Amino acid sequence: MENFEASVGYGWYILTGAWATVQLTVFSCAVALVIAMVTGVAMTRNSHLLRLVARFYVEFFRGTSVFVQLFAAYFVLPLIGITLSPIQAGVLALGLNGGAYGSEVVRAAINAVGRDQREATIALNLTGWQALWWVILPQAVVLMLPSFGNLAIEIMKGTAVASLITVSELTFQAQTVRSQTGDTAIPFLLIMVTYLAMASLMMSFVRWLEKRFGRGITSEST
């Protein structure tokens, strides 16, 4: 009985880390989405400078380890007067890293919109930005959603690296229980199930968005 109560207590302790994981996931995805949209659009513009800056950002954050980016956010930024909490450092690193990968998704989706759509915007005498906002992006978003869903799940799984800077998320809590009890199987089995449940919820939400946005595009085109 005592072992059962202890197991329940440790299980609950591990699950309390889910809130930190959710926070990291939501805020990191928000940062990644904003950066991906801005950078992805910049890579499709005619400005050579915009494309150059966007490409440098993408190659830098895709070409360096998220571990290094996390440590830089938490340990290096204070050297120049920018001190972040562990959660803030985790959100910054994961958001910037995810945004670099998301930028390519945005760029590819925009370029995938049919040439006839672009020609129609010229016929309507729309400016480049009006065409992007009112015609190109609404269609591109539908193409982006599956890849953005996968990226969100990768960011969610990547939140485990935040345990390295003492963020009390799922992995950190499981490691704490393992060090205190010597039990490895139950703590990590529990967080595996929790990650799977969170990923399933996220993909269900993305599929709903696909249907919702897809319906809107279909109704507009008929």
Side-chain angles (χ1 to χ4, degrees):
M1 185 64 179
E2 291 181 1
N3 290 337
F4 175 76
E5 291 177 352
S7 298
V8 171
Y10 283 126
W12 177 251
Y13 174 77
I14 292 172
L15 289 177
T16 58
W19 175 237
T21 298
V22 169
Q23 286 181 294
L24 281 169
T25 301
V26 170
F27 291 120
S28 298
C29 285
V31 171
L33 178 61
V34 172
I35 292 177
M37 293 299 293
V38 172
T39 310
V41 168
M43 288 193 290
T44 65
R45 297 292 88 191
N46 294 326
S47 170
H48 178 71
L49 178 61
L50 271 180
R51 294 199 307 271
L52 182 64
V53 172
R55 178 55 61 186
F56 174 79
Y57 158 75
V58 170
E59 295 303 326
F60 178 83
F61 280 95
R62 290 201 311 174
T64 56
S65 169
V66 68
F67 290 95
V68 176
Q69 295 161 18
L70 178 68
F71 290 146
Y74 191 61
F75 295 112
V76 177
L77 287 182
L79 300 179
I80 59 174
I82 303 174
T83 302
L84 302 176
S85 68
I87 286 280
Q88 291 171 336
V91 167
L92 180 63
L94 290 169
L96 290 173
N97 186 269
Y101 287 94
S103 299
E104 289 291 354
V105 173
V106 175
R107 181 192 62 79
I110 290 175
N111 289 337
V113 174
R115 183 176 178 180
D116 58 325
Q117 299 294 315
R118 302 174 188 277
E119 292 175 347
T121 63
I122 296 174
L124 292 171
N125 200 31
L126 298 178
T127 66
W129 288 108
Q130 287 174 329
L132 177 69
W133 184 255
W134 295 110
V135 179
I136 306 300
L137 274 182
Q139 297 178 68
V141 164
V142 180
L143 303 175
M144 298 175 200
L145 282 173
S147 296
F148 271 146
N150 293 332
L151 179 61
I153 289 176
E154 289 301 317
I155 289 176
M156 184 267 293
K157 293 188 292 186
T159 58
V161 303
S163 64
L164 299 174
I165 54 172
T166 70
V167 177
S168 299
E169 44 73 62
L170 282 168
T171 303
F172 182 88
Q173 301 293 75
Q175 290 174 335
T176 302
V177 170
R178 183 186 62 81
S179 65
Q180 292 179 352
T181 66
D183 187 1
T184 300
I186 298 301
F188 287 98
L189 180 61
L190 180 59
I191 65 170
M192 284 176 61
V193 172
T194 306
Y195 278 128
L196 179 60
M198 292 172 66
S200 299
L201 287 173
M202 292 169 68
M203 285 311 300
S204 296
F205 178 64
V206 170
R207 282 192 288 269
W208 177 83
L209 286 178
E210 286 183 58
K211 293 179 180 178
R212 178 68 183 86
F213 279 91
R215 189 183 306 123
I217 295 297
T218 302
S219 62
E220 289 175 6
S221 62
T222 56

